[in-house]
Amino acid sequence: MVEIQKDVPLNDLNTLGLPSIAPLFVNVTKREDLSDLYQEGFFSSYSPFILGGGSNIVLSEKLNHPVLKISISGVEILLEEKDDARIRIGAGENWHNFVNWAVNKGYGGVENLALIPGTVGAAPIQNIGAYGVEIKQVFESLLAFDMRDGTFKRFYKNQCKFGYRDSIFKRELKGKCIVVEVTLLLKHENHDPNITYSGLREALNDKGIQDPDIKDVFEAVVAVRRSKLPDPKVLGNAGSFFKNPIIEIELYEKLQNSRTGIPGYPVDDLHVKVPAGWLIEQAGWKGKQIGNVGTYKNQALVIVNHGNATGEEILNHAKTIQDSVRSMFGIELTPEVNIIN
């Protein structure tokens, strides 16, 4: 029998530190817990919210759905050859802790993704990315529990429909599947670290490192992220709040003519990606605080809880930023975080 708790506070289980109550709460520590819940009729009665590290969410004060906290742990090396390593990780493992483990073992491929908050299970759902790397580049497969029929199903890369901060689990299979484990393919030897991102190259150059190994890249990424992003334990935040918008090249060229210095990165022949943080900063929001909510002084892309903020206050602040950017640039900002009611 799986323990189901009632009226559980989630204040310490979301990195924004928002007050929220789960009407029902289950801590899932092994995959069999999900099978037991299915047999007990839990999934036919409820549509639960799946909680990982609580790092990419905005919670309302009282949720309408039960919460399943995925705490399935374990890291296992399935295959290790001269160049490659196949590694299976439990969905509840802390993502940064896993990256740190991989780097210390000499496995390359995830070092650019250091210090991204959240769990391993959430990483492919979001197709997390940073400093020129996305998880899809090292992804082999994941095992998910289908809440509709109580079965476990394996999804390979081509089945996950990865996109920019997107996957099939945020679209067609949203609210239908629970990730229980992830298998990644990392490089054991002959790995060339990705240092194409200008900010990362600059950080390495500042240290006088011209030919970095994975540990050099890992340490540089950690240093850059810590200089830009607040520690959620000190200042509540959900990481990057908005996606970097992808706009048509005609609009980008028009903005270039009217606003010298607007950065942009080609996506294809017709589209350009523009940094959301730059747009928000130009609109005057960097470091600005209204009531309990503010925009972080070192990175305008991060909305922070200065103390006692509610989910409603966070969302109102975000909407005001969206309105400002739309008015100034004609660009629509889309939240990267998940909004849970």
Side-chain angles (χ1 to χ4, degrees):
M1 181 75 70
V2 181
E3 182 184 6
I4 301 177
Q5 300 173 270
K6 292 184 178 181
D7 297 325
V8 174
L10 304 176
N11 307 46
D12 296 331
L13 295 179
N14 73 98
T15 59
L16 265 166
L18 301 175
S20 183
I21 298 290
L24 299 174
F25 180 89
V26 180
N27 187 34
V28 176
T29 59
K30 54 188 185 297
R31 69 171 71 171
E32 290 79 12
D33 291 343
L34 297 171
S35 297
D36 290 346
L37 287 170
Y38 182 82
Q39 293 299 325
E40 293 166 12
F42 184 87
F43 296 107
S44 59
S45 301
Y46 304 109
S47 298
F49 166 62
I50 310 305
L51 179 64
S55 62
N56 196 45
I57 55 175
V58 178
L59 299 175
S60 61
E61 291 191 69
K62 187 162 180 64
L63 301 183
N64 297 323
H65 302 278
V67 171
L68 298 188
K69 173 75 172 72
I70 305 303
S71 302
I72 299 171
S73 61
V75 178
E76 182 181 1
I77 301 169
L78 298 177
L79 178 68
E80 184 174 68
E81 299 179 327
K82 181 180 178 182
D83 286 346
D84 302 310
R86 188 165 170 256
I87 303 167
R88 180 168 62 201
I89 316 105
E93 289 284 344
N94 176 276
W95 172 259
H96 175 70
N97 289 349
F98 165 70
V99 174
N100 188 41
W101 175 90
V103 169
N104 286 328
K105 286 282 189 180
Y107 299 136
V110 291
E111 59 275 5
N112 294 54
L113 305 178
L115 220 60
I116 293 178
T119 57
V120 168
I125 295 173
Q126 185 75 0
N127 186 25
I128 59 171
Y131 303 102
V133 172
E134 291 181 321
I135 194 176
K136 71 176 182 180
Q137 294 166 244
V138 296
F139 180 87
E140 188 226 56
S141 66
L142 63 78
L143 186 68
F145 177 79
D146 192 322
M147 291 182 277
R148 296 168 295 182
D149 60 14
T151 61
F152 291 92
K153 298 175 181 176
R154 186 160 296 277
F155 293 83
Y156 291 89
K157 182 188 290 189
N158 64 336
Q159 297 172 295
C160 293
K161 299 183 181 179
F162 289 123
Y164 173 58
R165 303 296 175 270
D166 195 24
S167 72
I168 192 172
F169 304 101
K170 292 183 73 174
R171 289 179 277 114
E172 297 98 308
L173 295 180
K174 184 175 182 179
K176 298 173 183 175
C177 288
I178 300 170
V179 178
V180 298
E181 67 180 38
V182 177
T183 302
L184 302 181
L185 295 173
L186 304 183
K187 293 299 249 184
H188 190 45
E189 292 184 18
N190 300 316
H191 171 63
D192 293 320
N194 185 327
I195 55 171
T196 56
Y197 191 88
S198 59
L200 180 55
R201 284 201 311 273
E202 290 169 8
L204 290 165
N205 289 336
D206 289 345
K207 289 185 173 184
I209 300 172
Q210 301 300 319
D211 186 22
D213 59 22
I214 59 173
K215 193 148 193 169
D216 293 326
V217 173
F218 172 83
E219 290 174 352
V221 168
V222 168
V224 172
R225 288 186 72 90
R226 282 182 172 156
S227 71
K228 291 183 176 181
L229 303 173
D231 182 346
K233 295 176 184 175
V234 178
L235 189 61
N237 72 91
S240 299
F241 201 93
F242 297 103
K243 297 179 183 180
N244 291 322
I246 295 173
I247 64 173
E248 294 184 353
I249 198 164
E250 289 88 351
L251 174 57
Y252 180 70
E253 290 173 346
K254 181 181 176 182
L255 291 170
Q256 273 188 313
N257 293 332
S258 61
R259 296 185 180 276
T260 305
I262 181 172
Y265 306 92
V267 174
D268 52 39
D269 292 339
L270 299 176
H271 299 91
V272 175
K273 184 188 295 182
V274 178
W278 187 90
L279 297 170
I280 296 166
E281 183 173 350
Q282 294 299 304
W285 286 97
K286 187 175 182 180
K288 192 170 184 178
Q289 179 178 346
I290 299 177
N292 293 316
V293 184
T295 309
Y296 190 50
K297 61 181 181 180
N298 294 340
Q299 172 54 271
L301 196 52
V302 177
I303 293 177
V304 295
N305 177 2
H306 283 288
N308 303 314
T310 64
E312 184 179 7
E313 288 176 294
I314 295 287
L315 294 178
N316 287 341
H317 189 85
K319 184 179 184 305
T320 307
I321 290 173
Q322 289 173 298
D323 292 343
S324 295
V325 169
R326 186 188 309 109
S327 176
M328 182 173 287
F329 297 100
I331 294 176
E332 190 70 41
L333 289 182
T334 302
E336 186 173 318
V337 300
N338 295 298
I339 299 163
I340 312 301
N341 296 312

